[in-house]
Amino acid sequence: MNEKEFLKNYDIHDFDVPLCTVDMSIFSLIDGELNVLLVHRDEHPSKGKWALPGGFIDLKKDKSTEAAAHRKLKEKTGLASGYLEQVETIGSPKRDPRGWSLTVLYYALVDISRVKLDDSDKPTQWWPLSKIKKEKLAFDHNALIDITMTRLHAKATYTALPIELMPKEFTLTELQTVFEMILGRSLQAKAFRNRVLTAGMVEETGNSKIAGKRPAKLFRSTKADRDTYFARPLQE
């Protein structure tokens, strides 16, 4: 039997097939606090609980797990593109009461001003991270958010990634606040400013706004490579 004949007679269901999904931690900055998008489940299992957006991979629509994640991102936020990164694949027989399951976990960082929530299928809502810690989410989604935040925290120490959360124009103080929020610690203003400007991750827009008692310059992202900025990790 050659390979063509073998494949013609092969039945994928000869072996158990796990449930396979993608789940997404979609983050945005709202009123100075990091929020994650959650979907309310109106069916079993975990009926009545909040969960990360996601779902089963569509064998006809999705050419890859990343394609599935982009599809879910667009369905929930209206964004056809945005920063999207795979975090980890998690699987076990205990994740889902319906059976052995695995999920490919992604996160996305989006500018809230560009988001148009679609809750026609299931109610969706932005939740501050501080509030989520007190909420029992569906399945293992509390743990998935923790895993995602660990990755985001690590990348914020050596890349410009958090800039994806910023509006079109922002002050360097506002950008520093976002970094500090993700890192969970304070940064020296002068050192942060020098690191950001040296890396070429921002440029002046020529505009300014009143911050405190005097005008502050407004900057925008240069959209440079998010993974090659800081020669050294950000220090306090």
Side-chain angles (χ1 to χ4, degrees), residues 66-67 69-84 110 114:
E66 185 170 339
H70 274 291
R71 176 170 59 84
K72 289 298 178 182
L73 178 64
K74 185 174 182 180
E75 286 176 0
K76 290 303 176 185
T77 67
L79 298 176
S81 62
Y83 188 87
L84 186 69
V110 298
R114 298 177 58 218

Side-chain angles (χ1 to χ4, degrees), residues 7-230:
L7 293 176
K8 183 179 179 180
N9 292 284
Y10 184 80
D11 185 352
I12 191 173
H13 297 291
D14 285 343
F15 298 93
D16 291 334
V17 178
L19 301 171
C20 189
T21 63
V22 295
D23 284 304
M24 297 189 64
S25 296
I26 304 174
F27 295 106
S28 197
L29 191 64
I30 303 174
D31 297 329
E33 188 169 359
L34 197 60
N35 281 241
V36 66
L37 189 63
L38 296 181
V39 178
H40 190 264
R41 290 187 59 81
D42 55 7
E43 58 188 25
H44 296 295
S46 294
K47 183 177 180 179
K49 292 184 177 181
W50 290 88
L52 292 173
F56 291 104
I57 294 172
D58 190 315
L59 300 185
K60 295 181 179 179
K61 293 181 180 179
D62 303 326
K63 295 182 179 180
S64 65
T65 56
E66 185 170 339
H70 274 291
R71 176 170 59 84
K72 289 298 178 182
L73 178 64
K74 185 174 182 180
E75 286 176 0
K76 290 303 176 185
T77 67
L79 298 176
S81 62
Y83 188 87
L84 186 69
E85 181 179 329
Q86 184 180 140
V87 181
E88 189 175 328
T89 298
I90 299 99
S92 83
K94 298 181 179 180
R95 292 192 62 252
D96 191 317
R98 290 170 292 188
W100 213 108
S101 71
L102 63 85
T103 190
V104 185
L105 177 62
Y106 287 83
Y107 72 86
L109 305 182
V110 298
D111 173 3
I112 190 63
S113 67
R114 298 177 58 218
V115 173
K116 295 180 180 180
L117 292 185
D118 179 8
D119 59 1
S120 57
D121 178 27
K122 296 179 181 178
T124 57
Q125 182 176 308
W126 290 106
W127 283 61
L129 281 179
S130 57
K131 184 178 179 181
I132 288 178
K133 293 178 180 179
K134 304 175 184 178
E135 184 78 10
K136 179 65 176 71
L137 302 182
F139 308 111
D140 58 351
H141 289 193
N142 289 89
L144 296 188
I145 292 175
D146 289 342
I147 292 170
T148 307
M149 284 304 300
T150 298
R151 169 69 66 85
L152 186 56
H153 179 281
K155 297 206 73 170
T157 65
Y158 65 90
T159 77
L161 186 57
I163 205 171
E164 295 288 349
L165 295 163
M166 304 304 293
K168 290 183 179 180
E169 294 186 329
F170 49 85
T171 68
L172 292 185
T173 298
E174 290 170 338
L175 180 60
Q176 179 178 335
T177 299
V178 172
F179 271 84
E180 291 176 337
M181 191 182 309
I182 294 172
L183 294 172
R185 55 185 171 84
S186 298
L187 299 171
Q188 294 180 353
K190 183 177 181 180
F192 177 81
R193 182 186 182 91
N194 290 339
R195 189 75 63 87
V196 166
L197 295 177
T198 301
M201 59 186 275
V202 298
E203 61 187 7
E204 292 185 31
T205 66
N207 300 323
S208 62
K209 74 174 187 179
I210 299 299
K213 298 182 179 179
R214 56 183 179 179
K217 292 181 179 179
L218 290 172
F219 292 79
R220 60 175 166 245
S221 168
T222 59
K223 295 298 182 183
D225 184 357
R226 295 286 177 261
D227 293 329
T228 58
Y229 281 126
F230 306 137

